[in-house]
Structures are given as C-alpha cells and as structure tokens.
Amino acid sequence: MSTHLISRLTERLGSDRVVTDADVLAAHASDRAVFAPTGRPLALLRARTVEQVSTALAWAHEHRVPVVPQGARTGLSGGANAIDGALLLSVEGMDRILRIDPVEQIAVVEPGVINATLTRAAEEHGLTYLPDPSSWEISTIGGNVATNAGGLCCVKYGVTRDFVRGLQVVLADGRIMRTGRATAKGVAGYDLTALFVGSEGTLGVITEVTLALRPKPAPALTAAAYFGDVVEACQVVTEVMSSGVRPSLLELMDGPSLEVVSRLQDLGFPPGTDGLLICSSDDPDRQGTDLQTFARIAEAHGGEVVIAEDVQEAELLIQARRLVNPAHAALGTDLVDDVCVPRGRLVDLLRGVREIAARYDVLVTTAGHAGDGNMHPSVVFDASDPDQTERAQAAFGAIMQLGIDLGGTITGEHGVGRLKSAWLGRELDPAAMATQRAIKAALDPRGILNPGSVLSPAADDLH
C-alpha cells in the first residue's frame, strides 16, 4: 500500500523530488534534540515551489499520510523528527530572497533562506534583520518562524514574531492561504500571522515570509562584569533593567558554564568567578551612560567590571558566551533546557538549578538571555552510561517544572516539539489546552500535520 501511495506522489511531482533511499531518509530523520522520539519515514519530498508543497499536502490529506515539515533541522526540541510512515516535507531548497524593499523596509523570502544570508543582504541596503538566534549562520527563516526564535538581541528588539508581517501558508488539505500584509499597519480580521508563528508545522506549511527590516544599529559597545557569586549577578540584572538602561544584549553565564568554556579555551576569567554578565549598548547617544550605569550597579554588588574600548574588544568579551555550545559538544551529550522566568525570579531559578544538579548528581551549566529571563540550563552527561542518562533526563524534567513553578514557561524560543509535548499540559490550564486542540482540529481535521509535536495525545498530558 505504501509503495503504491509513493508511486502516485512521484507521478505528480517527479522522482527527482521524491526520495525513498534508506540512507537519505535516515540522514533526514531528526533534528538536534537529544532523546526526542524518532520514527521511520515513508519518503522525503525536496520541495522547490509552493505548488509542489500544495500537491503533496493535498495527496497526504486524501490518503491520511502524516507530514513532518522540515528546514535545516537545527532545532532543539524534536519538532522536525520523523514519525513512522510520514512524508518528510523539506522546504530547505526554497531558499530565494524574493525582494528587499528599502522604502517599505521589508524583505520577502522563501522559508529556506538562512538567517545570516538575509541579514547580510539587507545590510547592502543599509538595513538589517534583527532576530539573531545563536544558530543564525545555519538556521533558516522558516525554522525561525516555526519556533518563534529569539536570540541575543531580543532583550531590546524582540523575537521573530515581532518582525513577521505576513505569510504564505499551505494548509493541511493543500489550499494556499496568505495572512497579514506588507504594510506597517493592518488589523483587518483575526491575526492569523501570529497564530502560525511558533506553530511548529502543526497548522500549515510556511512557504513565504514577509519580514520587517530595520535601519542597521550603530556598532555596540560592551562591558563585562565578573562575580564571585552568581546570585549577585542575577540581582544586577533586575537593577539594570529597572534603571532606565535599555541594553541591546544582556547575557549571563554561571560558574559551571564558565568552567566548561575554560576547558575548551582559556579566556582569562578571574579566579573564583561564579558568574559573568555581559552588557552591550548600541544607542550612540546613550552608550557611555548605559555602560557606566551597568558598571556602577555591578560594582555595588561586588562585580569586577571591564568596559571594551572598541567593537573588536567587545566581540572578545562576547566570545565566552558563544563558546558555550561548542564546549558542551566537547564534553559529551547535552540536554538543553529553554525555560523563561520573570526577571525577578532569576535568583530562584539559578539556585533551583544548582539544587537539581546536586540532587541528581549531574553537571548542569546555565547560560542565557538574562535580560528577558530566558535561560538555557544544559544537562551535560555521558549518553553511553544508562544510569547517568536516566539521571540527566530526570534533571531536565525537574528544571522545566522549576520554570513553571516560578511563573515561567517550558520554552522561551526553542519550541515544544516532541521533546516537551507531554509537559504542555502542566503549563497551560485545561481550558487553554482544549482551545489549542480545537484550533488544531479546525485547521488540520485529519491530524496529518506533524502529529505528536506540540500537542501530545490528550491521554499523555502531564498534570
């Protein structure tokens, strides 16, 4: 039966688009999430046009074949992982920048465009695309939209949703729909654009994105503050953010994250450092004042402050933060949490994470976007050790629960995917969960779009 179905799809789209080679399917079966379930797909469609996507979804809808949309597969929550019998629908090859309009300050792009590629293209017009996830050199705009990605600069400029004006989306039955508009304003009808941003391929497949661009900010200047106690660093965050300073970046690293980075590269951290705060300002009229205010507050909490004298020195200060993920990779496997809590609860989050690390006897490093409360505790472990793996998974879950208990969320920017779908019911109340399921049923009545991602089967919800 499956061979017959694939033959019919191949007849419509061509053998150069539909792939059934086992090695190719295995290479496309998962994203970068650890321990998110992965199944055996039926085939891979390498789509190049919206018409091909539409044809594939109409076919899948007719035959009730599950479809897993994919981009560059750089996600960290298993949202692009295959399920048994699914069609993997890759839009990575839809990678054209269709136009950049300097007057309207917008870009219209296909979903496979790499974030960094768009940013550099916009800069040729004196503009920029500001959302900058750490994966910006390899992640696609479609994937960023699907997960509502954030990044280092979101403390000042916001996340992906704040820059998406309109979408072209192929619905579950193959119909092509446009949402939003290119204009700076527009409130006609429900905000369907916002609904699809962050929906992780469960409501439709995004095939075109209209994005707002901004004038390129001035080069940022940066200061770093080293603390003997990470609690003091957390307290500085709350005071800086209530002082009138509007940093373009405010990142925090705790002692364990500094230690693993030091194993990878010696950056000369002062002995006994338990917390590092990095603060940048890109407002030329306020840079000096903002960094001096940051320095004054940090020093009042025992921080040792270094202020960069130029952009090159600023980049050296930020380098430590960028090395966290490579440092984890050098040590083994890591489960990356993505909890976001109110800034006033950062102290409780950091303390709680350390208690969890001690309780389960695992290494947990914590770094992230302190300016908006979105932190990434990462459980680092030896995946070949079953006992350590079990403890790592338990610690990962405990950290998610801690985030919820502190008034936060299980995901600030990575998405729910398959890795966290059973946890959504702990964060959302029953009425909210019912509404989520009703929206899904209305747009995907046969449940073919990324089933098991975001919304787990109702019986699997944790309460």
Side-chain angles (χ1 to χ4, degrees):
M1 181 65 178
S2 61
T3 302
H4 173 67
L5 286 177
I6 291 302
S7 296
R8 293 188 63 179
L9 182 64
T10 303
E11 288 172 3
R12 299 181 192 183
L13 296 176
S15 58
D16 59 331
R17 298 291 104 211
V18 181
V19 181
T20 57
D21 180 86
D23 291 336
V24 175
L25 295 184
H28 286 76
S30 64
D31 62 17
R32 298 190 175 192
V34 178
F35 298 125
T38 302
R40 297 181 62 181
L42 186 65
L44 166 71
L45 169 62
R46 291 188 168 121
R48 289 296 179 90
T49 68
V50 63
E51 290 78 16
Q52 291 171 355
V53 174
S54 175
T55 297
L57 287 181
W59 167 86
H61 181 76
E62 177 185 356
H63 298 290
R64 299 180 184 270
V65 176
V67 176
V68 178
Q70 294 185 333
R73 305 184 312 283
T74 59
L76 293 169
S77 61
N81 283 17
I83 63 173
D84 289 341
L87 174 69
L88 304 178
L89 202 171
S90 174
V91 294
E92 190 175 14
M94 298 176 66
D95 58 359
R96 294 179 300 163
I97 297 176
L98 301 174
R99 67 187 174 101
I100 292 176
D101 187 332
V103 175
E104 301 301 331
Q105 296 187 352
I106 60 171
V108 181
V109 305
E110 291 182 327
V113 172
I114 298 295
N115 184 300
T117 300
L118 172 60
T119 300
R120 293 176 182 130
E123 287 177 351
E124 295 178 6
H125 301 271
L127 301 170
T128 192
Y129 178 63
L130 286 164
D132 63 339
S134 59
S135 60
W136 77 301
E137 290 278 9
I138 55 174
S139 63
T140 62
I141 293 297
N144 295 169
V145 173
T147 59
N148 192 26
L152 301 184
C153 76
C154 55
V155 62
K156 180 174 182 179
Y157 295 108
V159 295
T160 299
R161 178 177 284 118
D162 300 307
F163 292 82
V164 179
R165 291 193 182 175
L167 298 169
Q168 181 187 73
V169 180
V170 182
L171 298 175
D173 59 5
R175 288 178 296 161
I176 301 171
M177 175 180 72
R178 286 195 175 273
T179 74
R181 54 204 52 84
T183 55
K185 291 182 178 180
V187 293
Y190 299 122
D191 190 351
L192 297 179
T193 302
L195 176 64
F196 281 94
V197 177
S199 63
E200 301 185 50
T202 63
L203 303 180
V205 178
I206 295 167
T207 52
E208 185 182 290
V209 189
T210 300
L211 296 163
L213 304 177
R214 297 284 186 267
K216 186 178 179 180
L221 292 183
T222 301
Y226 302 91
F227 299 88
D229 185 348
V230 73
V231 168
E232 297 293 338
C234 293
Q235 292 171 342
V236 170
V237 171
T238 59
E239 291 188 31
V240 167
M241 295 304 295
S242 61
S243 69
V245 172
R246 195 181 183 195
S248 56
L249 175 151
L250 187 57
E251 296 288 303
L252 171 66
M253 297 174 63
D254 73 348
S257 64
L258 293 168
E259 181 180 344
V260 299
V261 166
S262 295
R263 295 185 200 177
L264 185 68
Q265 183 174 337
D266 183 6
L267 296 177
F269 301 132
T273 300
D274 186 48
L276 168 63
L277 266 183
I278 307 167
C279 179
S280 295
S281 174
D282 62 6
D283 185 341
D285 296 326
R286 293 187 51 91
Q287 283 177 324
T289 301
D290 284 350
L291 295 189
Q292 289 298 331
T293 300
F294 169 78
R296 173 178 55 77
I297 295 172
E299 289 168 350
H301 285 270
E304 179 182 335
V305 179
V306 176
I307 298 179
E309 295 184 357
D310 53 37
V311 174
Q312 289 73 29
E313 189 175 350
E315 186 56 34
L316 289 175
L317 294 177
I318 297 172
Q319 184 180 7
R321 176 66 181 89
R322 298 191 192 280
L323 286 174
V324 171
N325 289 339
H328 290 162
L331 289 175
T333 303
D334 64 337
L335 274 165
V336 183
D337 254 308
D338 177 37
V339 294
C340 187
V341 300
R343 286 189 288 258
R345 304 305 299 271
L346 277 174
V347 169
D348 300 315
L349 177 66
L350 269 291
R351 285 174 171 161
V353 166
R354 291 198 169 179
E355 187 277 325
I356 290 167
R359 186 196 321 163
Y360 293 100
D361 189 24
V362 290
L363 171 62
V364 182
T365 73
T366 303
H369 318 308
D372 53 23
N374 187 189
M375 301 303 293
H376 300 304
S378 298
V379 188
V380 184
F381 62 100
D382 180 358
S384 67
D385 183 333
D387 177 65
Q388 194 175 140
T389 297
E390 183 178 353
R391 287 185 280 111
Q393 290 177 299
F396 179 81
I399 292 169
M400 283 196 289
Q401 185 61 53
L402 174 64
I404 294 172
D405 292 343
L406 294 176
T409 176
I410 59 174
T411 176
E413 59 186 4
H414 292 170
V416 175
R418 289 178 174 76
L419 186 64
K420 304 177 183 179
S421 60
W423 284 84
L424 193 61
R426 286 195 175 184
E427 179 172 330
L428 303 183
D429 61 47
M433 286 297 295
T435 302
Q436 299 263 335
R437 295 189 185 283
I439 292 171
K440 169 70 170 173
L443 289 170
D444 182 18
R446 296 187 176 178
I448 66 167
L449 287 174
N450 222 0
S453 188
V454 182
L455 293 174
S456 65
D460 293 340
D461 290 343
L462 296 173
H463 298 289

